[in-house]
Amino acid sequence: MLSTVGKQLRNHPALIPLFIFIGGGATMSMMYLARLGIRNPDVCWDRKNNPEPWNKLGPTDQYKFYAVNLDYSKLKKNGPDF
């Protein structure tokens, strides 16, 4: 199968940017999904040792991928401790 793709790319060099951008998009989407599975506080991989990981987050922990106009280091805690 790879030899067929190689022959097509040699015959039609205009397809090379298409393969590069499709491959880059697929790689970035897989990296983002892995980041969501590892860093998101809503995901619990270990139920016995840490059943509610979202309770251990402090007010200064940034878990969003991109925050516009928000400095997490200056936030104060508004609620009570449980």
Side-chain angles (χ1 to χ4, degrees), residues 33-69:
L33 284 175
R35 183 192 180 277
L36 283 177
I38 294 170
R39 307 257 316 160
N40 197 350
D42 295 332
V43 177
C44 181
W45 292 98
D46 188 11
R47 291 185 187 178
K48 292 181 182 177
N49 294 330
N50 193 7
E52 296 176 344
W54 50 87
N55 286 339
K56 293 187 178 183
L57 286 177
T60 59
D61 292 336
Q62 179 179 357
Y63 63 91
K64 290 187 175 184
F65 185 70
Y66 181 70
V68 181
N69 299 333

